[in-house]
Amino acid sequence: MSHHGVSLEAIHQARRRIAGQVVRTPLVRSAALSARFEAEILLKLETCQPTGAFKLRGATNMIAALIERHGSEALAAGVVTASTGNHGRAVAYAAAQQGVPAVICLSRLVPPDKVAAIEALGAEARRVGASQDEAFEEVERLVSERGMTLIPPFDDPLVAAGQGTIGLELMEDCPDLDRVIVGLSGGGLLGGIGVAVKAIRPECRVTGVSLSRGAAMWESLQAGYPVAVEEVESLGDSLGGGIGRDNRCTLALVREVMDDHVQVSERAIARAMVAILEHEKRLVEGAAAVGLAAIEEHGLAVRGRKVALILSGNAVSLEILDRARVLAGR
């Protein structure tokens, strides 16, 4: 196992743990996008998860692994996390499945519809501070004072291994895949997928896509250590947030498995959201549309190739959709 703690074997173990609790999502060909880019454009529909996003894989794997190792009484005080929304929903759902109480700490930037979705799953949602880092301070307090167990959004080998199960599914459904394009924020998704894909098909390119502003992983990779950035409002709000001052897993993981990395503008994200709605009849978050945004904005070399885009996150309010349409000029 590598120094970041994520291996192909760990990902296979994760798949065994989450079976029956998490959906094995479809990989579907987009006729419209394939014709437009003269390529095989495949969409990995993580929007089909019960919580609408890939985060359910990592949260379910970690909670199940902790119970497997230490017994359910180890989580009697409950689990806690900080989240921009989708990870919070995932922890709330996975905890409810196991009968474990959950508290989700969120910054004031998180849209109200995402807060409501967390509460509907039976978890307590706490609004704290103006950033993900400030929300995380409340998490640390609950861990130390109430003995709750942290389920990190990304920076943990069990969480990254859970997300990596997507990579196994991609390789089974398209063994000759040429490239996978993945939204990149904390790095658990790209890192996990990258480990699986590179172990099975080393020649498959792994491309990361970050926001053009407030991209902590982008800055941290340039610097070589975790860098804090100011969070900004974005259509791709799920890709906001820092990578943690003492990141111990995902920075190394991303550096090891990622082949190339681009940033996308708000306008490109808006255009991609609208295109996916128009051509695929799928309403997705900005963070789910960044793969298409990257191909369009950067003219990525996809012609004649088999390319998978990860579509994850469907918590889109009508207000956000209207904003995307205006920005896209529609």
Side-chain angles (χ1 to χ4, degrees):
M1 187 175 283
S2 188
H3 58 281
H4 44 63
V6 186
S7 65
L8 184 62
E9 174 53 31
I11 294 169
H12 277 292
Q13 287 173 356
R15 173 140 83 170
R16 288 191 288 272
R17 280 191 204 104
I18 69 177
Q21 297 181 70
V22 172
V23 174
R24 188 197 190 288
T25 56
L27 182 68
V28 300
R29 181 180 184 273
S30 166
L33 296 178
S34 296
R36 183 163 146 202
F37 297 112
E38 298 179 27
E40 284 285 302
I41 304 294
L42 307 168
L43 308 177
K44 181 62 170 164
L45 302 181
E46 285 298 294
T47 45
C48 293
Q49 294 295 353
T51 57
F54 74 88
K55 292 283 193 178
L56 189 58
R57 295 173 183 262
T60 301
N61 184 48
M62 184 164 185
I63 291 172
L66 291 173
I67 291 173
E68 188 179 281
R69 293 172 186 178
H70 309 294
S72 54
E73 62 279 358
L75 300 182
V79 294
V80 63
T81 197
S83 168
T84 53
N86 288 323
H87 176 64
R89 288 174 73 185
V91 171
Y93 185 96
Q97 293 281 94
Q98 299 282 3
V100 173
V103 175
I104 316 299
C105 301
L106 313 112
S107 83
R108 288 191 291 269
L109 282 180
V110 178
D113 56 306
K114 290 192 175 183
V115 180
I118 287 166
E119 291 174 334
L121 291 167
E124 178 191 340
R126 284 196 189 187
R127 289 259 207 183
V128 188
S131 73
Q132 188 78 337
D133 288 338
E134 286 179 33
F136 209 84
E137 288 170 13
E138 176 69 2
V139 171
E140 290 170 341
R141 189 185 71 77
L142 291 170
V143 169
S144 64
E145 291 181 12
R146 284 174 44 181
M148 299 188 83
T149 298
L150 169 64
I151 308 297
F154 51 85
D155 192 31
D156 186 277
L158 286 169
V159 172
Q163 324 304 24
T165 57
I166 295 171
L168 297 181
E169 294 171 17
L170 287 173
M171 291 291 91
E172 288 165 357
D173 292 349
C174 186
D176 55 347
L177 189 66
D178 294 306
R179 188 177 206 162
V180 56
I181 306 179
V182 190
L184 177 59
S185 177
L189 177 64
L190 183 143
I193 289 175
V195 168
V197 166
K198 291 292 186 184
I200 297 166
R201 181 172 164 79
E203 61 269 41
C204 181
R205 289 188 73 78
V206 176
T207 299
V209 187
S210 293
L211 301 177
S212 59
R213 299 180 302 146
M217 183 61 82
W218 177 280
E219 299 294 342
S220 300
L221 287 165
Q222 312 289 327
Y225 54 84
V227 173
V229 299
E230 186 182 348
E231 283 184 59
V232 294
E233 202 172 328
S234 170
L235 286 169
D237 61 283
S238 296
L239 296 180
I243 68 163
R245 293 180 293 274
D246 53 353
N247 186 288
R248 64 192 183 89
C249 170
T250 56
L251 181 58
L253 189 54
V254 168
R255 190 185 286 122
E256 180 182 302
V257 302
M258 185 170 67
D259 294 296
D260 53 346
H261 191 185
V262 297
Q263 290 176 293
V264 288
S265 66
E266 287 296 296
R267 181 170 166 77
I269 295 172
R271 288 168 59 95
M273 285 176 73
V274 172
I276 290 168
L277 180 58
E278 285 186 340
H279 300 304
E280 307 302 322
K281 308 306 176 198
R282 298 185 188 280
L283 183 58
V284 299
E285 294 174 32
V290 295
L292 175 56
I295 295 174
E296 287 188 319
E297 191 168 31
H298 295 278
L300 298 184
V302 299
R303 188 177 175 187
R305 305 292 169 84
K306 292 188 176 182
V307 181
L309 310 181
I310 312 298
L311 260 58
S312 181
N314 60 8
V316 185
S317 66
L318 291 175
E319 178 194 354
I320 290 171
L321 178 60
D322 284 344
R323 209 165 85 216
R325 288 176 62 192
V326 169
L327 196 53
R330 304 303 293 269

